[in-house]
Amino acid sequence: MNFFSSGKYLYFLHLFYASIVNADDVEVVEVLAPKQSLTMSSNKISKSYFDERYTFSLNRTMADQLQTITGVSLTGQGGQFQSYAIRGFSRARIRTEIDGIPIITDRRAGNSASFIATGLLSIASVTKGPNSALYGSQAMGGVVSLTTELDHETSLKLGGQLNNDKVDLTLKHRKDNLSSAFSYQHANNNSAENGDKLNNQFERISGLIRYNFKHNDLTTIVSWLPSYGRGIGKSNIKFPELERSQYPQETHSLAQIQINSDNAWQAKLFHHYQNWDSETLRVSQYHSLTAYQSQTLGGQWLAKLSSSPLDSFLGIDWLSRKGVRINSEYKLLEQQSNLSSELMNNYMHGEEDNIAIFSKNGWQVNKARIDLGLRYDWIKHDNDKESKTDNNLSASLSLNYPIRTGLDLDLEIANGFRYPSLSEQFFTGITPRGYIQGNKELKAESSLGTQIGISWQDQEHLRLHGTFYHYEVDNYIERYQVDDEVLSYRNLDSAQIEGFEAELRWYINERIEHHFSYQQQKGQDKQQNLADIHPRRISWVVLGTFDDITIAHSLNYYFVVNHVAASESKRDSFLMWDFSIGYEYTDQNTISLALKNVSNESYYASLDESASLQPERSIRLSVSWEF
């Protein structure tokens, strides 16, 4: 059925039209993710924001933009569901939020926000290191926080990419207290530099409606963010000769209501419904269709109890996941002698409940700033046959000390934990990666992380940040190959991740600035290397503004990788060259041209052994209007 004739599309148009009616004349400031102001670490490099001037990204999903941040790397097989790692922590060890709503998808590769068009997202930040003291499970490696706050009253952006006929259309509108947005995306498959066909086509619409109103000292924010996609290709090195995987359809709905008090407390309730299918054809072996459905309900209450000299906050979190269903149906194309009867049991029905209380306290002692975070979590997991409960106490302590004007020392020690996901424990069936067999005996991961950072800046031209970090992880959950066809999960007794990252920003004058960064790390247990450890990378970005013209130039050198995990492949070194130029022909209108992979390099985005090559040289043209 043609996408534009579907009922879903007409429904989106109806909602968008309804959203542009006039609202009240009182403007209300949006605070969509209150926790973001409570970052436990005072280290200036521990929290990074995506620089919107980096306009040379492929801009397929948020992962393309996040990888420009030092300490973030891409993982998994690629395509629309490209996932990411923060300082070597990946998959369910990273918490991803949109407007403060946690995104939990049960995908084995990790929880990404790929179902939301990048044009709807205005701010992206990454908080690195253990954040369980504030966010609980799934934040032991860090937090990716995205927001849909609108920058302008009305804007329209249209973009196209030549080598895969990619089209992006995003329309945003804000009238007084009512915000709305609509985005349409479409792309065909394209090719790598060596001619390999890539399975990365997709089609998607996303929308946004948000209304704010204020009564006395209370501000209420109501929002709904729906998304529908279809024909989403799943990149894999086996495509197309050995395997063809896609997501035929994907539906998401994020809704929330939040109340902010002028007396410094916030309360919110949220709901995330998702329903998607994955289809895999393993040539001459089998054809499978997996249906996934879940509902995430939750709430949060956060209050400021006192202010300077003691800043004290208290919060309560509630998270409940109901109706988590994974049902795989498949038929064998040829009789498989190694297919066990256990693998035929491919249905999972699970639930999760999590209640937590947390606090953050900060003191100013002479020149030093001390922050302490504490959190207690109670978690329960159920499936059709059994129930499991656990609890955890998380703590974080950080110190910021100004050695002298312009020179700061930061110290931090924090623990984190991660409860096994429902799919890791209970799901057995076929996925685009192959046969997956859950392990209900998995133990929760726990970590202890330390980091020391130095920040220095002169009065005008230079800013330098550097951080050393070390993490000890107990019961690290590893995906491993049971035999030629079956994957499963197991705990490693202990593992270590350590590394160094640095950033230098040089502001030559008002027009030109240089950004230099470097990252390296290693991760291993007693016998092997860990997966998803990012390779060494050195980056150089030049940003220039000349009257009506802006230029962004980027060089990223990835060093050779010879030491990898069992599920990864060695990679050669490569140099990635990107470039973009924008021309502001009026105060409200801009046209820009971006070239990704200018030298047409042949490269992989991750170390995953099943990852396909990345696209060949890409040229993107976009035009934007602001009203």
Side-chain angles (χ1 to χ4, degrees):
M1 180 175 62
N2 184 277
F3 189 71
F4 282 100
S5 64
S6 68
K8 291 183 175 66
Y9 176 73
L10 296 177
Y11 188 47
F12 269 80
L13 281 184
H14 170 74
L15 291 170
F16 179 75
Y17 175 78
S19 71
I20 62 175
V21 298
N22 290 339
D24 295 335
D25 293 332
V26 180
E27 183 175 357
V28 179
V29 177
E30 297 174 333
V31 183
L32 301 176
K35 279 189 184 180
Q36 280 298 295
S37 62
L38 300 184
T39 302
M40 292 296 180
S41 175
S42 56
N43 191 331
K44 293 180 175 61
I45 202 173
S46 291
K47 186 168 184 178
S48 301
Y49 291 87
F50 168 70
D51 195 326
E52 62 182 7
R53 297 173 297 173
Y54 286 15
T55 53
F56 41 73
S57 165
L58 275 176
N59 209 33
R60 297 167 297 185
T61 70
M62 204 63 212
D64 287 327
Q65 300 180 355
L66 291 174
Q67 70 166 328
T68 64
I69 295 175
T70 308
V72 178
S73 58
L74 299 182
T75 63
Q77 298 177 19
Q80 272 294 294
F81 297 108
Q82 182 79 67
S83 49
Y84 35 80
I86 301 176
R87 288 183 176 173
F89 289 90
S90 59
R91 301 187 177 96
R93 303 178 187 93
I94 299 173
R95 186 180 179 102
T96 298
E97 293 191 342
I98 298 177
D99 294 338
I101 301 176
I103 306 303
I104 306 175
T105 64
D106 290 288
R107 287 192 172 102
R108 269 64 59 180
N111 304 315
S112 68
S114 59
F115 60 89
I116 297 298
T118 55
L120 299 186
L121 301 170
S122 57
I123 301 175
S125 68
V126 172
T127 305
K128 309 168 191 175
N131 274 264
S132 292
L134 189 59
Y135 293 93
S137 182
Q138 294 199 342
M140 67 180 299
V143 179
V144 173
S145 183
L146 311 172
T147 182
T148 59
E149 298 174 13
L150 303 188
D151 300 326
H152 306 282
E153 289 187 353
T154 302
S155 65
L156 173 64
K157 187 171 184 178
L158 177 63
Q161 192 165 301
L162 299 182
N163 58 341
N164 63 344
D165 300 324
K166 185 173 183 289
V167 175
D168 285 282
L169 171 66
T170 302
L171 177 61
K172 299 180 180 180
H173 178 76
R174 185 175 66 183
K175 179 64 175 180
D176 300 321
N177 298 333
L178 188 62
S179 302
S180 59
F182 173 83
S183 179
Y184 171 75
Q185 298 174 290
H186 170 84
N188 296 326
N189 289 334
N190 56 2
S191 302
E193 180 274 336
N194 66 353
D196 285 356
K197 294 296 181 182
L198 305 179
N199 188 21
N200 52 9
Q201 65 180 3
F202 73 99
E203 189 169 26
R204 176 179 290 117
I205 57 173
S206 305
L208 167 67
I209 298 175
R210 182 165 53 247
Y211 181 65
N212 305 333
F213 59 91
K214 185 168 185 177
H215 178 70
N216 296 329
D217 65 339
L218 297 180
T219 300
T220 301
I221 305 172
V222 182
S223 65
W224 181 44
L225 201 163
S227 175
Y228 174 77
R230 71 164 193 165
I232 305 170
K234 174 68 173 177
S235 289
N236 191 300
I237 197 173
K238 301 173 184 177
F239 176 84
E241 288 82 7
L242 300 177
E243 182 176 295
R244 301 165 194 168
S245 300
Q246 68 161 338
Y247 291 77
Q249 66 85 29
E250 182 187 36
T251 302
H252 290 263
S253 171
L254 281 72
Q256 70 169 314
I257 179 170
Q258 178 174 308
I259 301 176
N260 301 329
S261 168
D262 292 345
N263 297 322
W265 62 265
Q266 297 93 27
K268 69 188 301 180
L269 293 172
F270 57 81
H271 174 247
H272 176 201
Y273 169 77
Q274 54 185 312
N275 188 330
W276 46 266
D277 300 332
S278 65
E279 182 180 24
T280 301
L281 172 64
R282 185 73 65 87
V283 178
S284 299
Q285 294 188 37
Y286 62 79
H287 174 270
S288 73
L289 180 65
T290 299
Y292 175 89
Q293 185 177 14
S294 75
Q295 304 206 45
T296 301
L297 308 169
Q300 178 189 121
W301 175 80
L302 177 64
K304 185 173 184 179
L305 303 182
S306 63
S307 56
S308 184
L310 171 64
D311 295 323
S312 181
F313 296 85
L314 179 66
I316 298 175
D317 277 348
W318 161 59
L319 180 71
S320 182
R321 304 185 63 225
K322 301 300 181 183
V324 182
R325 292 180 172 87
I326 308 176
N327 185 19
S328 290
E329 298 179 358
Y330 65 92
K331 64 178 180 179
L332 299 178
L333 303 181
E334 294 179 0
Q335 184 62 38
Q336 303 297 307
S337 59
N338 60 347
L339 186 63
S340 69
S341 59
E342 291 183 0
L343 289 175
M344 302 297 291
N345 179 20
N346 49 28
Y347 174 81
M348 190 201 83
H349 181 196
E351 294 186 352
E352 175 183 354
D353 290 289
N354 184 184
I355 299 175
I357 182 170
F358 62 92
S359 69
K360 180 189 176 181
N361 302 278
W363 298 267
Q364 190 69 39
V365 182
N366 296 325
K367 295 192 300 181
R369 169 73 184 188
I370 301 174
D371 288 286
L372 172 66
L374 293 171
R375 179 183 173 108
Y376 175 78
D377 280 90
W378 177 86
I379 297 177
K380 180 181 180 182
H381 278 189
D382 293 283
N383 73 346
D384 291 332
K385 298 180 180 179
E386 61 184 292
S387 175
K388 300 173 64 176
T389 61
D390 203 349
N391 61 82
N392 189 82
L393 180 64
S394 305
S396 174
L397 177 66
S398 67
L399 167 69
N400 171 260
Y401 184 79
I403 300 174
R404 61 178 177 82
T405 301
L407 181 62
D408 286 9
L409 173 68
D410 296 287
L411 299 173
E412 181 181 0
I413 181 170
N415 70 331
F417 82 104
R418 200 268 285 191
Y419 203 63
S421 68
L422 290 172
S423 61
E424 287 173 335
Q425 297 177 85
F426 304 127
F427 175 70
T428 294
I430 296 179
T431 72
R433 187 174 286 272
Y435 297 117
I436 297 287
Q437 191 168 36
N439 180 2
K440 62 182 180 180
E441 303 301 327
L442 287 174
K443 301 176 183 177
E445 297 178 330
S446 62
S447 69
L448 179 65
T450 57
Q451 67 176 357
I452 179 171
I454 292 288
S455 301
W456 172 81
Q457 67 179 60
D458 68 1
Q459 293 183 350
E460 296 181 359
H461 300 293
L462 293 174
R463 294 181 182 178
L464 174 65
H465 305 301
T467 296
F468 293 91
Y469 55 86
H470 178 88
Y471 305 115
E472 297 276 351
V473 186
D474 292 329
N475 298 321
Y476 185 93
I477 297 175
E478 175 200 45
R479 185 180 62 213
Y480 74 104
Q481 196 88 31
V482 178
D483 55 37
D484 291 341
E485 291 293 334
V486 180
L487 297 167
S488 189
Y489 302 94
R490 63 187 176 191
N491 288 109
L492 304 179
D493 289 338
S494 63
Q496 295 184 355
I497 298 176
E498 59 186 16
F500 168 73
E501 58 192 48
E503 294 180 353
L504 171 65
R505 298 209 169 194
W506 178 22
Y507 304 90
I508 295 181
N509 51 46
E510 294 180 353
R511 297 179 179 272
I512 301 176
E513 58 188 88
H514 295 263
H515 300 173
F516 302 93
S517 66
Y518 175 77
Q519 63 182 33
Q520 71 171 50
Q521 69 172 180
K522 64 179 181 179
Q524 57 189 25
D525 74 336
K526 296 178 181 179
Q527 299 179 339
Q528 63 186 27
N529 296 307
L530 300 182
D532 300 331
I533 299 300
H534 60 231
R536 283 195 299 156
R537 182 183 77 187
I538 186 168
S539 302
W540 173 37
V541 176
V542 182
L543 300 174
T545 304
F546 308 95
D547 297 326
D548 299 328
I549 296 176
T550 58
I551 295 175
H553 176 276
S554 171
L555 288 174
N556 286 270
Y557 181 74
Y558 292 79
F559 291 78
V560 63
V561 181
N562 290 320
H563 303 287
V564 296
S567 61
E568 297 179 329
S569 297
K570 298 178 181 180
R571 302 297 189 205
D572 294 330
S573 62
F574 66 93
L575 178 67
M576 179 55 54
W577 176 21
D578 306 317
F579 177 82
S580 66
I581 182 170
Y583 173 62
E584 186 176 344
Y585 55 93
T586 71
D587 291 340
Q588 290 79 34
N589 303 331
T590 303
I591 183 170
S592 61
L593 178 69
L595 283 78
K596 179 70 177 178
N597 192 10
V598 176
S599 58
N600 211 21
E601 189 81 14
S602 181
Y603 72 104
Y604 297 89
S606 77
L607 303 179
D608 192 298
E609 63 182 356
S610 297
S612 60
L613 288 166
Q614 288 293 289
E616 61 188 344
R617 181 189 299 114
S618 303
I619 302 175
R620 187 179 75 250
L621 180 67
S622 60
V623 182
S624 62
W625 297 267
E626 297 172 2
F627 306 97

